[in-house]
Amino acid sequence: MVRPQASEESKVLAHTFAKTITTEVRGVAPASASVGRSGQNSIFDALSVCFPHASREHTRSGVSLVEMNKALEKDGFLRVRFRNARKRGQRTEQQGGRKWRDPENQSFYR
């Protein structure tokens, strides 16, 4: 059986969406400016809320969380790992060197 793969349209939409809602941060440590790779505050979660047809959660031709993260990493998004000191052994991964765009800040739209 063939593993499902996202359509080219979904991949392009996911990539464009990620670059549109985040901005690259330079001159600071990647860990200090980061966006979640999974979970409620991730780019994928925002994509599946804004464009349900583009995520695998809603359609078979949509992009999956793993596919999206791999594609973003290839395009230069950094993967940053954190260890939670309170919960032994628990790790989280973030997209480093990026931050969410502020819709109130007009300079982001230039």
Side-chain angles (χ1 to χ4, degrees):
M1 186 168 174
V2 178
R3 183 177 298 174
Q5 198 173 24
S7 67
E8 199 58 39
E9 181 182 77
S10 293
K11 289 179 184 178
V12 169
L13 178 63
H15 183 264
T16 305
F17 180 76
K19 286 197 155 214
T20 303
I21 65 169
T22 63
T23 186
E24 189 173 3
V25 179
R26 295 178 187 206
V28 297
S32 64
S34 59
V35 176
R37 286 174 61 93
S38 62
Q40 289 182 336
N41 296 323
S42 68
I43 297 172
F44 180 77
D45 189 56
L47 175 75
S48 61
V49 169
C50 296
F51 300 101
H53 66 278
S55 77
R56 177 90 33 91
E57 293 178 350
H58 301 282
T59 62
R60 190 170 172 92
S61 64
V63 68
S64 71
L65 172 67
V66 173
E67 280 178 310
M68 184 170 179
N69 283 336
K70 283 183 179 181
L72 293 177
E73 202 171 325
K74 276 185 181 178
D75 192 46
F77 281 56
L78 303 174
R79 181 189 340 185
V80 180
R81 295 182 182 162
F82 294 99
R83 290 186 186 193
N84 190 337
R86 289 185 223 145
K87 296 180 181 177
R88 197 170 189 182
Q90 183 179 5
R91 295 180 182 175
T92 58
E93 290 186 352
Q94 305 264 325
Q95 300 286 1
R98 311 273 317 170
K99 69 177 184 177
W100 294 107
R101 288 195 177 194
D102 181 7
E104 299 292 322
N105 188 347
Q106 293 299 316
S107 68
F108 282 131
Y109 303 111
R110 293 182 188 151

